[in-house]
Amino acid sequence: MNRKSILTALIAAAPPLACLSFTSVPVYNNIQSPSKLYQSISSDKSTIQLTECSGEKADIETVASFMVNAFWLQSPQQLVEGGGDVSESTHTALVEEQSRDLMEKYGERLGKRLLNSCLLTAVDGNELVGAVGMEVCLFDRQNEEIIGAQKSELTLKNALATLGPKQRRQYKDASVQEIATELLPPEIDAICCLSNLCVSPNARRRGIAKKLCSAVEETASEWGFSEMYLKVESDNTAAKELYETKMSYSVECTLTNQVTLRVDPDSGFVETTADTLILKKSLQSRKAERAAGYI
């Protein structure tokens, strides 16, 4: 069996991920330790600051609580089954699960991440009004699957492990894109993926979502990527309007009956299925958007 056949088998055998991959809402607290100020958005009423979340547990928990309240419980998609109010115990469980997902993706960890990730927040004064995440992962074009970051990292490490010590040293300073191109099957690429976008219901229609998206697209360009990807449910009209009409994303592929999540008022997150779109945007188009005054 040749190397690429082995790697294909490794990808298929990698364990499935049990994590949330969703946009996401309100306990309004300060983010205590922003690690980077991206930009300020000034308007007649206020100035919105975009900052990178530090990854510390307290800050991640604040963003998780915001996402639960603003996205899961107050999304225009009405993600709560039956439309009822959730119990206090269910709310606590939702925040804990969302926090675990965000810590896995963006939180501090002992070892260095092989794949870059970043969680941005939008803060108005001392109020958290928006958030968005981005992460590098693998995309299997043949099977039309965006592979989760944890599984992507395992796949890349396994690919490097097939090399001898001398060959591995050649990839010491290589980019993820270079490793994927040279060591993985040709249908698998390293991509940058946008996720977890949410804006407070009280702060919508102020351009915050577009600014958050633009900020992560700028970061993706700095990381050496020429495209940005994301997943959105086919019936999420508001999100599709933002991405396709206002942000110049286009449909890469349509996936039917994909596992997704909803909120049961009594038990928390539950699985269901929905048709899903993978959208893609060329980051070269940002030059045209900037020239037109959109960003």
Side-chain angles (χ1 to χ4, degrees), residues 109 113-115 149-157:
R109 52 194 255 189
R113 292 181 185 274
L114 178 61
L115 302 176
Q150 184 178 350
K151 186 175 174 182
S152 293
E153 185 166 323
L154 176 62
T155 300
L156 289 164
K157 286 182 177 178

Side-chain angles (χ1 to χ4, degrees), residues 31 33-42 46-54 66 118-125 127-132 197-199 203 206-219 247 286 295:
I31 296 296
S33 309
S35 58
K36 177 180 178 181
L37 176 64
Y38 270 67
Q39 57 179 287
S40 297
I41 311 169
S42 298
S46 61
T47 298
I48 308 294
Q49 287 193 332
L50 302 187
T51 59
E52 181 181 348
C53 182
S54 68
F66 169 75
C118 177
L119 179 63
L120 297 186
T121 60
V123 179
D124 184 0
E127 183 176 325
L128 179 58
V129 294
V132 68
L197 174 66
C198 63
V199 175
R206 292 170 58 186
I208 295 173
K210 284 185 64 178
K211 292 296 185 182
L212 284 165
C213 289
S214 294
V216 295
E217 289 170 4
E218 195 70 42
T219 300
M247 299 296 297
R286 288 182 57 82
I295 60 174

Side-chain angles (χ1 to χ4, degrees), residues 64 68 77 82 102 114 119 132 147 162 175 182 200 206 271 279:
V68 167
Q77 266 190 289
L102 296 181
L114 178 61
L119 179 63
V132 68
I147 302 170
T162 65
S175 68
E182 296 181 19
S200 166
R206 292 170 58 186
E271 290 187 350
L279 304 183

